[in-house]
Amino acid sequence: MQLILASQSPRRQELLRLITQDFTVCPADVDEALIEGVSLADEVARLAAQKAQAVAGHNPEAVVIGSDTLVVCDGQALGKPVDAEDARRMLRLLSGRTHEVMTGLALCIPHKPMIKDTVITTVRFAALEETEISAYIQTGEPMDKAGAYGIQGLGARLIEGITGDYYSVMGLPVRRLYMHMRENQIV
């Protein structure tokens, strides 16, 4: 059975390769706007499901994996920064604090109900100096990352600790996905 990852994220592709090398990539084109008044954990699962369904609609006999990640601080979702000042704002907000990273996961399996799951990991940031924030922004790394940091890259030096799934913070909860795939005899 064909396996499709509904994401163009290099990180998600790298993480899926920890489970299997046998998949194709087909990015989903969906509106990622959040619905107000809905819990962010439900929203991240909905977005993952939308991505999987969008690709499954064109590939009905394939298994399709969708995923979405939100960084949440004080109940506020932090997306990808629009510019360096937005990244600075986010990093200042996270500095010296604990926040959550919510990763939604969805699997469309032919002739079965969709699997939806959400993994929540707590991340504790160090108290950052302005020079650290500026230096990190100058690397360019924060610009395409939710919350303006990448735990797997240079952003690692900003993090004091996590409680939960490291890979989920990167964008794909490897163990949870692997278990769903095993239970459904995909791997």
Side-chain angles (χ1 to χ4, degrees):
M1 193 175 296
Q2 182 185 15
L3 180 64
I4 301 174
L5 177 62
S7 173
Q8 63 186 3
S9 163
R11 290 166 300 283
R12 287 193 178 112
Q13 294 171 40
E14 172 188 342
L15 293 175
L16 184 53
R17 283 188 198 99
L18 297 174
I19 300 172
T20 181
Q21 298 289 318
D22 190 18
F23 66 93
T24 57
V25 172
C26 182
D29 183 21
V30 299
D31 179 3
E32 295 190 34
L34 300 175
I35 299 171
E36 290 200 31
V38 177
S39 82
L40 293 173
D42 289 343
E43 276 297 274
V44 77
R46 179 186 64 81
L47 290 171
Q50 270 190 306
K51 291 175 181 182
Q53 286 174 319
V55 173
H58 299 289
N59 301 276
E61 292 305 312
V63 174
V64 180
I65 301 166
S67 187
D68 195 74
T69 301
L70 290 176
V71 172
V72 180
C73 187
D74 291 337
Q76 173 188 2
L78 303 179
K80 296 176 182 176
V82 295
D83 57 25
E85 281 311 305
D86 196 30
R88 185 177 313 283
R89 175 189 65 81
M90 289 183 197
L91 292 167
R92 283 177 179 154
L93 177 66
L94 298 173
S95 175
R97 303 184 65 201
T98 298
H99 64 275
E100 294 179 320
V101 177
M102 300 178 181
T103 298
L105 177 64
L107 276 86
C108 287
I109 303 169
H111 317 295
K112 291 188 177 185
M114 178 186 295
I115 296 169
K116 290 195 320 187
D117 206 344
T118 301
V119 176
I120 300 174
T121 301
T122 303
V123 179
R124 189 175 63 257
F125 252 51
L128 306 177
E129 297 176 10
E130 282 298 317
T131 55
E132 287 179 285
I133 291 172
S134 294
Y136 184 52
I137 291 169
Q138 287 175 358
T139 69
E141 185 177 271
M143 301 317 296
D144 71 337
K145 312 278 189 305
Y149 74 93
I151 193 170
Q152 74 285 357
L154 300 172
R157 61 191 182 199
L158 311 177
I159 297 167
E160 288 186 337
I162 71 168
T163 303
D165 184 343
Y166 171 82
Y167 297 110
S168 181
V169 178
M170 279 182 68
L172 194 68
V174 174
R175 178 66 182 172
R176 191 79 58 96
L177 174 58
Y178 174 68
M179 293 308 299
H180 287 306
M181 292 173 76
R182 277 193 56 210
E183 288 167 7
N184 288 279
Q185 301 173 345
I186 298 166
V187 291

